Amino acid sequence: MGTLCSISSGESDTKDAIPDGPFAFFDRSKTVKRSGRFLYDCEALIIPGEGKEFLPRHFRGKFDLHQRAYALFDFSPDIDVRFLFYFLHYRADYFPSVAVGATVKSLRRRHFEQLPIAFPSITEQKRIARMLDNAFDGIATAKANSERNLKNANALFDSHLQSVFTSRGSDWKREPLATLCEAPRVITYGVIKLGEETPGGVPCLRTSNVRWLHIDTNGVKHITSDLSKEYSRTILKGGEVLVNVRGTLGGVAVAGPEMVGWNVSREVAVVPIDSERIDPRFVSYLIGSRETQEWLGGVKKGAAYVGINIEDLRLLPVGVPGLAEQREIVTTLESFQSTTTILEGIYERKLDALEALKKSLLHEAFTGQLTKAA
């Protein structure tokens, strides 16, 4: 590639970005920032020089460039810019394979210069690029529609969930969350620190496992099976409501019967609901509702590492109807959630299929299979 274009890194740093600058500023992130100056005024392919993904952007005009990003410009008449753009997407595995560094992978100029590129005539390059442009435009439109539908499905359930708890009846008894727990257990959080894993030990749920209204058991870590007394307070019996209270907030779900004997990390609170009076699933939906999430957001503390004090969680005001009405509400919400999950699966599979189609088209284009009749 070094014979087909000029290759240069930038001179600017992230601190040089200004919010309302007149010029685009490209750095290592996917977000295009703004700058008060420009280093280049040309057509270019811009590639981050550090990170995990080194995919090109195509840009024409004046732009600023970070010192850890590269610009390909002054292209040879033998190469079409869009053809090269798609070729670099096709060879997305190349830059990660040659990047150097132990913690943060980075590229050097030689990695660009030494990349071998096979290309047909300029006429054929332009034909392939036009076909890929048209195909990728259609894929982008389909992807945007699927993403919008996925967002709408989530929003529809969230709206229904919110309406259930904002239109509560006058007979709903309102009391602190702590009063709904079975005696003598209390709301508490785990004491297990991340990193205390022991293969073959007791499964331990973390914030990555406790999601919004469901528990993802993929990647569950294990801790020593020889638990000290302080660990015993959060040994799960099944039916507890689990709430993320450190770091990634918003996760809330009910521990299933298959989780009896499991434990939780210090980032997860255990709410031992008295299931004879209160349906734990009702409480999980209530805590997962927008109104309660906003309340918890109002009491969270910390900047870099946010959290909710256990005392605040115990004081969370909860409106509760009779047990029969709770179960009726849960049945309705579970049915609604099941339908939403089906829709989410459909749209997520469509998105996966569209990504697979892009890869297939790139493979066909650069292995000589994208025929004129395609």
Side-chain angles (χ1 to χ4, degrees):
M1 190 164 68
T3 64
L4 297 174
C5 60
S6 297
I7 304 166
S8 177
S9 57
E11 301 174 1
S12 300
D13 202 350
T14 305
K15 61 181 176 57
D16 298 319
I18 57 176
D20 300 317
F23 307 110
F25 178 29
F26 297 96
D27 61 6
R28 298 159 290 182
S29 72
K30 293 183 179 182
T31 303
V32 180
K33 298 179 175 61
R34 308 302 298 179
S35 175
R37 66 170 186 171
F38 66 91
L39 299 179
Y40 299 86
D41 183 5
C42 60
E43 181 176 23
L45 296 181
I46 300 157
I47 302 175
E50 285 184 346
K52 297 180 180 179
E53 190 176 71
F54 304 95
L55 296 177
R57 295 176 182 270
H58 186 189
F59 187 81
R60 293 185 182 89
K62 298 175 180 178
F63 64 93
D64 197 358
L65 188 66
H66 193 275
Q67 57 187 312
R68 292 286 184 260
Y70 289 85
L72 315 181
F73 58 102
D74 287 343
F75 298 95
S76 162
D78 294 327
I79 195 75
D80 179 74
V81 179
R82 292 299 289 175
F83 178 88
L84 181 57
F85 169 81
Y86 284 118
F87 177 83
L88 293 175
H89 276 271
Y90 168 65
R91 288 301 314 274
D93 61 330
Y94 168 74
F95 289 125
S97 70
V98 299
V100 297
T103 54
V104 179
K105 296 293 185 179
S106 61
L107 299 175
R108 304 292 184 264
R109 191 191 305 270
R110 68 179 183 275
H111 298 137
F112 295 88
E113 295 172 340
Q114 295 169 0
L115 173 60
I117 301 177
F119 53 92
S121 69
I122 192 70
T123 301
E124 179 65 3
Q125 290 178 52
K126 289 181 179 297
R127 184 191 71 82
I128 291 173
R130 281 195 303 272
M131 292 181 70
L132 289 175
D133 278 341
N134 291 334
F136 275 53
D137 283 347
I139 291 172
T141 299
K143 184 178 179 181
N145 289 336
S146 293
E147 288 175 339
R148 184 171 58 252
N149 289 336
L150 178 59
K151 184 177 180 181
N152 288 342
N154 289 324
L156 185 62
F157 176 71
D158 177 65
S159 176
H160 181 69
L161 181 64
Q162 176 71 0
S163 68
V164 168
F165 295 106
T166 54
S167 59
R168 52 184 172 265
S170 58
D171 59 331
W172 287 32
K173 185 179 179 182
R174 197 165 178 83
E175 53 189 306
L177 181 62
T179 65
L180 306 180
C181 296
E182 64 177 23
R185 302 172 74 191
V186 296
I187 299 173
T188 187
Y189 48 78
V191 295
I192 300 167
K193 298 179 181 178
L194 299 183
E196 295 181 355
E197 293 89 16
T198 303
V202 176
C204 177
L205 295 171
R206 304 175 297 163
T207 54
S208 59
N209 304 116
V210 181
R211 304 295 183 85
W212 188 64
L213 302 177
H214 77 281
I215 292 179
D216 183 358
T217 57
N218 292 322
V220 171
K221 300 293 183 181
H222 293 71
I223 59 168
T224 176
S225 57
D226 183 20
L227 297 177
S228 63
K229 185 176 180 180
E230 64 178 340
Y231 290 106
S232 64
R233 66 182 186 180
T234 49
I235 293 177
L236 300 179
K237 298 180 180 180
E240 297 93 344
V241 176
L242 307 180
V243 184
N244 290 344
V245 291
R246 296 286 185 275
T248 306
L249 305 180
V252 56
V254 178
E258 73 280 10
M259 298 167 193
V260 173
W262 291 24
N263 218 300
V264 299
S265 75
R266 64 193 307 176
E267 287 77 23
V268 178
V270 176
V271 184
I273 294 298
D274 182 354
S275 58
E276 293 186 2
R277 295 192 301 123
I278 310 295
D279 191 315
R281 298 169 299 170
F282 176 86
V283 176
S284 73
Y285 279 123
L286 187 149
I287 295 177
S289 69
R290 195 183 326 142
E291 181 181 37
T292 305
Q293 289 289 310
E294 289 173 354
W295 188 94
L296 292 173
V299 299
K300 69 182 180 182
K301 297 174 175 61
Y305 190 64
V306 298
I308 299 168
N309 287 340
I310 205 68
E311 293 80 8
D312 289 325
L313 183 60
R314 290 169 179 167
L315 293 173
L316 171 67
V318 176
V320 182
L323 188 57
E325 187 176 351
Q326 292 174 42
R327 289 172 176 166
E328 183 180 338
I329 289 172
V330 165
T331 299
T332 302
L333 288 174
E334 285 183 337
S335 175
F336 208 110
Q337 188 177 14
S338 177
T339 302
T340 303
T341 301
I342 292 172
L343 290 174
E344 287 175 349
I346 291 172
Y347 298 133
E348 285 169 353
R349 286 193 294 274
K350 283 185 177 180
L351 290 172
D352 289 342
L354 290 170
E355 285 301 312
L357 177 59
K358 288 169 64 175
K359 291 179 180 179
S360 176
L361 288 171
L362 288 171
H363 176 76
E364 291 181 4
F366 295 102
T367 55
Q369 300 176 52
L370 197 61
T371 66
K372 292 183 178 181

